[in-house]
């Protein structure tokens, strides 16, 4: 699990972006190709709050990944070019030079063999629960009671965590996210445990319940995947960009702007900055 930035690191990241860097790159590098083409090709897929297509216009108009891509394109002085992919085809699209970057890809060891990732995390998301409004939840120990019923996808990382740390609760295991959420909707459980982004849409659809990131927060970083190449000028530039946006709070701001536009209260939703978790 990645560690949060220290105050010194955050200030250093912000300071490092005050002066543009002259990146040295080979003629066939991704960075050189982007400048020659005049567009930054960003992989997108319908997955709010990360990417969202306007159903009326067909434009990729909102989401953290869309806002990030547009800002990075502007910093390069090129146009933002969304290219529709799926989570399953994004790595192949990078390898095939169909896209230049794909946000919200976790830097797993398996993926790192096929694509490159910047050193700096893009953002963090956390293990959370969608709980009944009247269920007192601030810590994981609040859930660790025989009287509490929790739904979770079977054999998932969430299931593993609950089995190890909330074993006194009545844990109901289901094939997937949808079935676990349906159990909560039907009132068969008091809470459903997932990483928090899928719970946002569930909460909006159900119109009831509260999303809580119990402490101590169980968070993991997400990242930006880029094509693996000997020339590291592009991945180094991406590292600087996402570090800048994280350090100055812009990533969190994009996230909150999307939530508000999606009809959700940003103050009632878990943040994507690790330093902010547990402070609300």
């Amino acid at each position: 699990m990645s560690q949060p930035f220290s105050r010194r690191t955050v200030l250093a990241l912000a300071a490092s972006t005050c002066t543009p860097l002259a990146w040295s790159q080979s003629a066939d590098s991704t960075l050189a190709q982007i400048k020659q083409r005049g567009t930054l090709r960003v992989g997108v897929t319908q997955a709010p709050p990360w990417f969202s297509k306007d159903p009326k216009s067909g434009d990729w108009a909102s989401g953290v990944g869309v806002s990030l891509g547009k800002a990075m394109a502007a910093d390069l002085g090129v146009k933002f070019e969304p290219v529709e992919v799926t989570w399953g085809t994004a790595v192949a699209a990078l390898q095939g030079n169909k896209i230049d970057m794909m946000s919200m890809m976790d830097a797993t060891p398996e993926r790192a063999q096929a694509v490159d990732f910047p050193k700096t995390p893009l953002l963090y998301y956390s293990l959370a629960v969608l709980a009944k409004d009247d269920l007192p939840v601030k810590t994981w120990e609040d859930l660790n009671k025989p009287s509490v019923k929790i739904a979770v996808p079977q054999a998932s990382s969430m299931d593993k965590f609950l089995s190890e740390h909330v074993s006194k609760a009545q844990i109901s295991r289901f094939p997937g996210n949808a079935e676990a959420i349906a159990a909560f909707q039907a009132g068969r459980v008091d809470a459903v445990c997932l990483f928090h982004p899928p719970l946002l849409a569930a909460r909006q659809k159900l119109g009831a319940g509260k999303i809580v990131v119990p402490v101590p927060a169980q968070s993991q970083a997400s990242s930006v995947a880029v094509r693996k190449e000997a020339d590291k000028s592009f991945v180094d530039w991406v590292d600087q960009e996402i570090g800048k946006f994280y350090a100055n709070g812009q990533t969190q701001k994009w996230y909150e702007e999307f939530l508000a536009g999606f009809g959700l209260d940003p103050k009632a939703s878990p943040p994507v900055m690790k330093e902010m978790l547990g402070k609300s």
Side-chain angles (χ1 to χ4, degrees):
M1 182 179 294
S2 300
Q3 297 298 313
F5 297 120
S6 66
R7 178 175 174 81
R8 181 178 296 178
T9 302
V10 169
L11 292 174
L13 280 167
S16 70
T17 60
C18 294
T19 304
L21 298 180
W23 295 105
S24 175
Q25 70 269 329
S26 60
D28 60 348
S29 70
T30 295
L31 194 57
Q33 289 179 39
I34 292 169
K35 293 178 179 178
Q36 182 176 12
R37 187 191 318 118
T39 64
L40 174 64
R41 300 171 304 178
V42 177
V44 294
T45 186
Q46 185 64 17
W50 315 130
F51 308 96
S52 186
K53 180 192 286 187
D54 187 320
K56 295 181 179 179
S57 67
D59 294 333
W60 291 91
S62 62
V64 176
V66 173
S67 297
L68 173 70
K70 289 180 176 179
M72 291 174 69
D75 283 351
L76 280 175
V78 299
K79 294 181 180 180
F80 167 74
E81 181 182 349
V83 179
E84 195 160 352
V85 295
T86 67
W87 296 118
T89 62
V91 169
L94 284 167
Q95 293 177 319
N97 201 13
K98 304 298 183 183
I99 60 175
D100 302 311
M101 57 178 278
M102 183 71 189
S103 301
M104 300 310 307
M105 295 283 284
D106 296 353
T108 65
E110 294 77 17
R111 286 176 178 158
Q113 294 179 15
V115 294
D116 274 345
F117 292 96
K119 296 177 182 178
T120 304
L122 171 60
L123 52 76
Y124 293 84
Y125 46 73
S126 309
L127 200 59
V129 293
L130 175 59
K132 290 181 177 178
D133 291 309
D134 59 356
L135 183 68
V137 184
K138 287 188 177 181
T139 69
W140 290 107
E141 195 58 32
D142 290 335
L143 299 169
N144 194 26
K145 302 174 181 177
S147 60
V148 177
K149 300 177 181 178
I150 309 176
V152 69
Q154 187 173 21
S156 63
S157 58
M158 296 81 80
D159 184 3
K160 182 175 185 294
F161 176 82
L162 292 181
S163 298
E164 293 175 353
H165 301 279
V166 194
S167 58
K168 294 179 182 178
Q170 298 181 52
I171 303 173
S172 298
R173 297 170 174 85
F174 297 88
N177 289 10
E179 293 87 352
I181 292 170
F184 175 76
Q185 182 178 16
R188 289 185 283 147
V189 296
D190 302 306
V192 55
C193 181
L194 299 168
F195 281 99
H196 82 254
L199 295 179
L200 297 172
R203 168 63 183 81
Q204 185 194 43
K205 181 180 179 181
L206 299 180
K210 59 186 178 183
I211 298 177
V212 181
V213 176
V215 291
Q218 304 298 313
S219 304
Q220 71 180 45
S222 195
S223 189
V224 178
V226 302
R227 190 162 31 263
K228 188 179 285 291
E229 55 188 345
D231 187 314
K232 301 301 180 184
S233 56
F234 185 58
V235 70
D236 288 344
W237 179 80
V238 170
D239 184 75
Q240 175 183 284
E241 285 285 286
I242 64 176
K244 172 182 68 177
F245 294 131
Y246 187 101
N248 66 19
Q250 185 61 61
T251 306
Q252 177 68 27
K253 183 178 179 181
W254 285 327
Y255 178 65
E256 292 179 358
E257 287 174 348
F258 178 85
L259 294 180
F262 200 57
L264 294 167
D265 180 4
K267 294 181 180 179
S269 302
V272 292
M273 290 185 70
K274 196 167 187 179
E275 297 82 358
M276 295 176 63
L277 293 171
K279 294 184 179 181
S280 56

PDB file of all heavy atoms in Angstrom, residues 4 22 26 28 30 58 71 73 81 96 100 109 111 114-115 125-126 133 149 171-172 192 195 203 208 234 275:
ATOM      1  N   PRO A   4       0.930   8.022   2.152  1.00  0.00           N
ATOM      2  CA  PRO A   4       0.494   9.353   1.769  1.00  0.00           C
ATOM      3  C   PRO A   4       1.677  10.293   1.676  1.00  0.00           C
ATOM      4  O   PRO A   4       2.733  10.049   2.268  1.00  0.00           O
ATOM      5  CB  PRO A   4      -0.437   9.750   2.912  1.00  0.00           C
ATOM      6  CG  PRO A   4       0.038   8.958   4.072  1.00  0.00           C
ATOM      7  CD  PRO A   4       0.507   7.659   3.494  1.00  0.00           C
ATOM      8  N   ALA A  22      12.159  21.290 -19.564  1.00  0.00           N
ATOM      9  CA  ALA A  22      12.433  21.001 -20.977  1.00  0.00           C
ATOM     10  C   ALA A  22      12.729  19.508 -21.097  1.00  0.00           C
ATOM     11  O   ALA A  22      13.840  19.061 -20.845  1.00  0.00           O
ATOM     12  CB  ALA A  22      13.622  21.836 -21.462  1.00  0.00           C
ATOM     13  N   SER A  26      13.263  11.223 -27.631  1.00  0.00           N
ATOM     14  CA  SER A  26      13.642  10.772 -28.961  1.00  0.00           C
ATOM     15  C   SER A  26      12.524  11.095 -29.941  1.00  0.00           C
ATOM     16  O   SER A  26      11.387  11.352 -29.562  1.00  0.00           O
ATOM     17  CB  SER A  26      13.912   9.258 -28.944  1.00  0.00           C
ATOM     18  OG  SER A  26      12.754   8.555 -28.529  1.00  0.00           O
ATOM     19  N   ASP A  28      10.792   9.321 -31.925  1.00  0.00           N
ATOM     20  CA  ASP A  28       9.661   8.401 -32.016  1.00  0.00           C
ATOM     21  C   ASP A  28       9.017   8.132 -30.657  1.00  0.00           C
ATOM     22  O   ASP A  28       8.196   7.228 -30.519  1.00  0.00           O
ATOM     23  CB  ASP A  28      10.097   7.074 -32.655  1.00  0.00           C
ATOM     24  CG  ASP A  28      11.195   6.372 -31.851  1.00  0.00           C
ATOM     25  OD1 ASP A  28      11.773   7.018 -30.948  1.00  0.00           O
ATOM     26  OD2 ASP A  28      11.470   5.194 -32.134  1.00  0.00           O
ATOM     27  N   THR A  30       6.619   8.671 -27.297  1.00  0.00           N
ATOM     28  CA  THR A  30       5.213   9.053 -27.165  1.00  0.00           C
ATOM     29  C   THR A  30       5.064  10.566 -27.076  1.00  0.00           C
ATOM     30  O   THR A  30       4.192  11.154 -27.713  1.00  0.00           O
ATOM     31  CB  THR A  30       4.603   8.397 -25.912  1.00  0.00           C
ATOM     32  OG1 THR A  30       4.597   6.973 -26.090  1.00  0.00           O
ATOM     33  CG2 THR A  30       3.181   8.870 -25.676  1.00  0.00           C
ATOM     34  N   GLY A  58     -23.130  12.940 -26.913  1.00  0.00           N
ATOM     35  CA  GLY A  58     -22.149  11.908 -27.212  1.00  0.00           C
ATOM     36  C   GLY A  58     -20.734  12.311 -26.852  1.00  0.00           C
ATOM     37  O   GLY A  58     -19.784  11.572 -27.096  1.00  0.00           O
ATOM     38  N   ALA A  71      -6.828  18.835 -19.028  1.00  0.00           N
ATOM     39  CA  ALA A  71      -5.831  19.719 -18.426  1.00  0.00           C
ATOM     40  C   ALA A  71      -4.424  19.370 -18.903  1.00  0.00           C
ATOM     41  O   ALA A  71      -3.610  20.262 -19.179  1.00  0.00           O
ATOM     42  CB  ALA A  71      -5.908  19.634 -16.903  1.00  0.00           C
ATOM     43  N   ALA A  73      -3.647  17.893 -21.758  1.00  0.00           N
ATOM     44  CA  ALA A  73      -3.549  18.289 -23.159  1.00  0.00           C
ATOM     45  C   ALA A  73      -3.276  19.786 -23.268  1.00  0.00           C
ATOM     46  O   ALA A  73      -2.434  20.231 -24.068  1.00  0.00           O
ATOM     47  CB  ALA A  73      -4.833  17.924 -23.904  1.00  0.00           C
ATOM     48  N   GLU A  81      -8.067  14.269 -27.114  1.00  0.00           N
ATOM     49  CA  GLU A  81      -8.717  13.328 -28.032  1.00  0.00           C
ATOM     50  C   GLU A  81      -9.146  12.076 -27.256  1.00  0.00           C
ATOM     51  O   GLU A  81      -8.327  11.187 -26.997  1.00  0.00           O
ATOM     52  CB  GLU A  81      -7.782  12.929 -29.167  1.00  0.00           C
ATOM     53  CG  GLU A  81      -8.414  11.975 -30.176  1.00  0.00           C
ATOM     54  CD  GLU A  81      -7.456  11.538 -31.270  1.00  0.00           C
ATOM     55  OE1 GLU A  81      -6.355  12.116 -31.389  1.00  0.00           O
ATOM     56  OE2 GLU A  81      -7.812  10.592 -32.022  1.00  0.00           O
ATOM     57  N   GLY A  96      -0.660  -1.153 -28.627  1.00  0.00           N
ATOM     58  CA  GLY A  96      -0.870  -0.996 -30.055  1.00  0.00           C
ATOM     59  C   GLY A  96      -0.814   0.439 -30.540  1.00  0.00           C
ATOM     60  O   GLY A  96      -1.134   0.724 -31.689  1.00  0.00           O
ATOM     61  N   ASP A 100      -2.604   7.113 -25.717  1.00  0.00           N
ATOM     62  CA  ASP A 100      -1.355   7.523 -25.074  1.00  0.00           C
ATOM     63  C   ASP A 100      -1.376   7.305 -23.569  1.00  0.00           C
ATOM     64  O   ASP A 100      -0.319   7.155 -22.958  1.00  0.00           O
ATOM     65  CB  ASP A 100      -1.079   9.002 -25.365  1.00  0.00           C
ATOM     66  CG  ASP A 100      -0.990   9.292 -26.844  1.00  0.00           C
ATOM     67  OD1 ASP A 100      -0.270   8.563 -27.548  1.00  0.00           O
ATOM     68  OD2 ASP A 100      -1.657  10.250 -27.307  1.00  0.00           O
ATOM     69  N   PRO A 109       1.428  -5.521 -10.238  1.00  0.00           N
ATOM     70  CA  PRO A 109       2.653  -6.111 -10.791  1.00  0.00           C
ATOM     71  C   PRO A 109       2.426  -6.728 -12.173  1.00  0.00           C
ATOM     72  O   PRO A 109       3.313  -6.659 -13.043  1.00  0.00           O
ATOM     73  CB  PRO A 109       3.029  -7.179  -9.754  1.00  0.00           C
ATOM     74  CG  PRO A 109       2.431  -6.679  -8.479  1.00  0.00           C
ATOM     75  CD  PRO A 109       1.146  -6.031  -8.880  1.00  0.00           C
ATOM     76  N   ARG A 111       0.189  -5.771 -14.530  1.00  0.00           N
ATOM     77  CA  ARG A 111       0.095  -4.701 -15.530  1.00  0.00           C
ATOM     78  C   ARG A 111       1.441  -4.041 -15.773  1.00  0.00           C
ATOM     79  O   ARG A 111       1.744  -3.623 -16.890  1.00  0.00           O
ATOM     80  CB  ARG A 111      -0.930  -3.660 -15.082  1.00  0.00           C
ATOM     81  CG  ARG A 111      -2.370  -4.113 -15.221  1.00  0.00           C
ATOM     82  CD  ARG A 111      -3.315  -3.079 -14.660  1.00  0.00           C
ATOM     83  NE  ARG A 111      -4.717  -3.460 -14.813  1.00  0.00           N
ATOM     84  CZ  ARG A 111      -5.705  -2.978 -14.079  1.00  0.00           C
ATOM     85  NH1 ARG A 111      -5.449  -2.076 -13.134  1.00  0.00           N
ATOM     86  NH2 ARG A 111      -6.938  -3.375 -14.275  1.00  0.00           N
ATOM     87  N   ALA A 114       3.492  -5.038 -18.644  1.00  0.00           N
ATOM     88  CA  ALA A 114       3.051  -4.714 -19.999  1.00  0.00           C
ATOM     89  C   ALA A 114       3.058  -3.223 -20.303  1.00  0.00           C
ATOM     90  O   ALA A 114       3.217  -2.822 -21.464  1.00  0.00           O
ATOM     91  CB  ALA A 114       1.642  -5.269 -20.219  1.00  0.00           C
ATOM     92  N   VAL A 115       2.853  -2.392 -19.272  1.00  0.00           N
ATOM     93  CA  VAL A 115       2.803  -0.942 -19.461  1.00  0.00           C
ATOM     94  C   VAL A 115       3.583  -0.267 -18.337  1.00  0.00           C
ATOM     95  O   VAL A 115       3.960  -0.904 -17.360  1.00  0.00           O
ATOM     96  CB  VAL A 115       1.346  -0.410 -19.471  1.00  0.00           C
ATOM     97  CG1 VAL A 115       0.599  -0.936 -20.687  1.00  0.00           C
ATOM     98  CG2 VAL A 115       0.618  -0.791 -18.180  1.00  0.00           C
ATOM     99  N   TYR A 125      -8.593   5.517  -3.500  1.00  0.00           N
ATOM    100  CA  TYR A 125      -9.957   5.189  -3.122  1.00  0.00           C
ATOM    101  C   TYR A 125      -9.913   4.152  -2.009  1.00  0.00           C
ATOM    102  O   TYR A 125      -8.917   3.474  -1.824  1.00  0.00           O
ATOM    103  CB  TYR A 125     -10.825   4.736  -4.293  1.00  0.00           C
ATOM    104  CG  TYR A 125     -10.249   3.740  -5.246  1.00  0.00           C
ATOM    105  CD1 TYR A 125     -10.078   2.410  -4.896  1.00  0.00           C
ATOM    106  CD2 TYR A 125      -9.906   4.126  -6.546  1.00  0.00           C
ATOM    107  CE1 TYR A 125      -9.600   1.488  -5.789  1.00  0.00           C
ATOM    108  CE2 TYR A 125      -9.415   3.207  -7.458  1.00  0.00           C
ATOM    109  CZ  TYR A 125      -9.265   1.899  -7.080  1.00  0.00           C
ATOM    110  OH  TYR A 125      -8.767   0.984  -7.974  1.00  0.00           O
ATOM    111  N   SER A 126     -10.998   4.091  -1.297  1.00  0.00           N
ATOM    112  CA  SER A 126     -10.964   3.392  -0.021  1.00  0.00           C
ATOM    113  C   SER A 126     -12.065   2.355   0.114  1.00  0.00           C
ATOM    114  O   SER A 126     -13.116   2.460  -0.521  1.00  0.00           O
ATOM    115  CB  SER A 126     -11.115   4.401   1.117  1.00  0.00           C
ATOM    116  OG  SER A 126     -10.203   5.456   0.968  1.00  0.00           O
ATOM    117  N   ASP A 133     -29.066   4.382   7.480  1.00  0.00           N
ATOM    118  CA  ASP A 133     -28.879   5.706   8.070  1.00  0.00           C
ATOM    119  C   ASP A 133     -28.769   5.666   9.590  1.00  0.00           C
ATOM    120  O   ASP A 133     -28.072   6.489  10.198  1.00  0.00           O
ATOM    121  CB  ASP A 133     -30.026   6.638   7.666  1.00  0.00           C
ATOM    122  CG  ASP A 133     -29.984   6.994   6.187  1.00  0.00           C
ATOM    123  OD1 ASP A 133     -28.902   7.414   5.725  1.00  0.00           O
ATOM    124  OD2 ASP A 133     -31.012   6.857   5.508  1.00  0.00           O
ATOM    125  N   LYS A 149     -25.252  -7.162  10.127  1.00  0.00           N
ATOM    126  CA  LYS A 149     -25.226  -7.995   8.919  1.00  0.00           C
ATOM    127  C   LYS A 149     -24.617  -7.196   7.772  1.00  0.00           C
ATOM    128  O   LYS A 149     -25.072  -6.100   7.462  1.00  0.00           O
ATOM    129  CB  LYS A 149     -26.651  -8.428   8.550  1.00  0.00           C
ATOM    130  CG  LYS A 149     -27.362  -9.234   9.638  1.00  0.00           C
ATOM    131  CD  LYS A 149     -28.785  -9.565   9.223  1.00  0.00           C
ATOM    132  CE  LYS A 149     -29.514 -10.341  10.316  1.00  0.00           C
ATOM    133  NZ  LYS A 149     -30.926 -10.628   9.928  1.00  0.00           N
ATOM    134  N   ILE A 171     -21.535 -12.023   8.055  1.00  0.00           N
ATOM    135  CA  ILE A 171     -21.098 -11.671   6.702  1.00  0.00           C
ATOM    136  C   ILE A 171     -21.839 -12.519   5.680  1.00  0.00           C
ATOM    137  O   ILE A 171     -21.745 -13.748   5.688  1.00  0.00           O
ATOM    138  CB  ILE A 171     -19.575 -11.871   6.548  1.00  0.00           C
ATOM    139  CG1 ILE A 171     -18.816 -11.035   7.596  1.00  0.00           C
ATOM    140  CG2 ILE A 171     -19.130 -11.487   5.143  1.00  0.00           C
ATOM    141  CD1 ILE A 171     -17.317 -11.297   7.625  1.00  0.00           C
ATOM    142  N   SER A 172     -22.597 -11.861   4.810  1.00  0.00           N
ATOM    143  CA  SER A 172     -23.323 -12.556   3.737  1.00  0.00           C
ATOM    144  C   SER A 172     -22.570 -12.348   2.428  1.00  0.00           C
ATOM    145  O   SER A 172     -22.335 -11.210   2.022  1.00  0.00           O
ATOM    146  CB  SER A 172     -24.745 -12.002   3.603  1.00  0.00           C
ATOM    147  OG  SER A 172     -25.481 -12.215   4.790  1.00  0.00           O
ATOM    148  N   VAL A 192     -23.418  -2.795   3.025  1.00  0.00           N
ATOM    149  CA  VAL A 192     -22.716  -3.509   1.962  1.00  0.00           C
ATOM    150  C   VAL A 192     -21.322  -2.909   1.872  1.00  0.00           C
ATOM    151  O   VAL A 192     -21.143  -1.688   1.950  1.00  0.00           O
ATOM    152  CB  VAL A 192     -23.468  -3.423   0.604  1.00  0.00           C
ATOM    153  CG1 VAL A 192     -23.725  -1.978   0.218  1.00  0.00           C
ATOM    154  CG2 VAL A 192     -22.692  -4.135  -0.494  1.00  0.00           C
ATOM    155  N   PHE A 195     -15.236  -1.051  -2.462  1.00  0.00           N
ATOM    156  CA  PHE A 195     -14.465   0.178  -2.601  1.00  0.00           C
ATOM    157  C   PHE A 195     -15.459   1.269  -2.977  1.00  0.00           C
ATOM    158  O   PHE A 195     -16.454   1.023  -3.661  1.00  0.00           O
ATOM    159  CB  PHE A 195     -13.357   0.028  -3.636  1.00  0.00           C
ATOM    160  CG  PHE A 195     -12.157  -0.706  -3.096  1.00  0.00           C
ATOM    161  CD1 PHE A 195     -11.965  -2.056  -3.360  1.00  0.00           C
ATOM    162  CD2 PHE A 195     -11.252  -0.050  -2.287  1.00  0.00           C
ATOM    163  CE1 PHE A 195     -10.875  -2.735  -2.831  1.00  0.00           C
ATOM    164  CE2 PHE A 195     -10.157  -0.718  -1.744  1.00  0.00           C
ATOM    165  CZ  PHE A 195      -9.971  -2.065  -2.019  1.00  0.00           C
ATOM    166  N   ARG A 203     -25.870   4.547  -3.987  1.00  0.00           N
ATOM    167  CA  ARG A 203     -26.530   5.445  -3.034  1.00  0.00           C
ATOM    168  C   ARG A 203     -27.501   6.390  -3.748  1.00  0.00           C
ATOM    169  O   ARG A 203     -28.613   6.640  -3.276  1.00  0.00           O
ATOM    170  CB  ARG A 203     -25.466   6.255  -2.265  1.00  0.00           C
ATOM    171  CG  ARG A 203     -26.011   7.431  -1.433  1.00  0.00           C
ATOM    172  CD  ARG A 203     -26.927   6.952  -0.339  1.00  0.00           C
ATOM    173  NE  ARG A 203     -27.501   8.047   0.424  1.00  0.00           N
ATOM    174  CZ  ARG A 203     -28.552   8.774   0.049  1.00  0.00           C
ATOM    175  NH1 ARG A 203     -29.152   8.528  -1.103  1.00  0.00           N
ATOM    176  NH2 ARG A 203     -29.013   9.733   0.818  1.00  0.00           N
ATOM    177  N   ALA A 208     -31.257   6.196  -0.293  1.00  0.00           N
ATOM    178  CA  ALA A 208     -31.213   5.983   1.149  1.00  0.00           C
ATOM    179  C   ALA A 208     -29.865   5.387   1.526  1.00  0.00           C
ATOM    180  O   ALA A 208     -29.144   4.850   0.678  1.00  0.00           O
ATOM    181  CB  ALA A 208     -32.333   5.048   1.593  1.00  0.00           C
ATOM    182  N   PHE A 234       7.835  10.680 -21.485  1.00  0.00           N
ATOM    183  CA  PHE A 234       6.395  10.850 -21.304  1.00  0.00           C
ATOM    184  C   PHE A 234       5.947  10.404 -19.920  1.00  0.00           C
ATOM    185  O   PHE A 234       5.197  11.115 -19.241  1.00  0.00           O
ATOM    186  CB  PHE A 234       5.620  10.086 -22.376  1.00  0.00           C
ATOM    187  CG  PHE A 234       4.131  10.318 -22.308  1.00  0.00           C
ATOM    188  CD1 PHE A 234       3.610  11.593 -22.416  1.00  0.00           C
ATOM    189  CD2 PHE A 234       3.248   9.254 -22.130  1.00  0.00           C
ATOM    190  CE1 PHE A 234       2.235  11.814 -22.339  1.00  0.00           C
ATOM    191  CE2 PHE A 234       1.875   9.468 -22.061  1.00  0.00           C
ATOM    192  CZ  PHE A 234       1.374  10.752 -22.170  1.00  0.00           C
ATOM    193  N   GLU A 275      -4.859  12.075   2.607  1.00  0.00           N
ATOM    194  CA  GLU A 275      -4.687  12.940   3.774  1.00  0.00           C
ATOM    195  C   GLU A 275      -6.008  13.430   4.342  1.00  0.00           C
ATOM    196  O   GLU A 275      -6.096  13.864   5.480  1.00  0.00           O
ATOM    197  CB  GLU A 275      -3.825  14.149   3.397  1.00  0.00           C
ATOM    198  CG  GLU A 275      -2.415  13.803   2.976  1.00  0.00           C
ATOM    199  CD  GLU A 275      -2.307  13.358   1.525  1.00  0.00           C
ATOM    200  OE1 GLU A 275      -3.330  13.282   0.830  1.00  0.00           O
ATOM    201  OE2 GLU A 275      -1.175  13.102   1.095  1.00  0.00           O
TER     202      GLU A 275
END
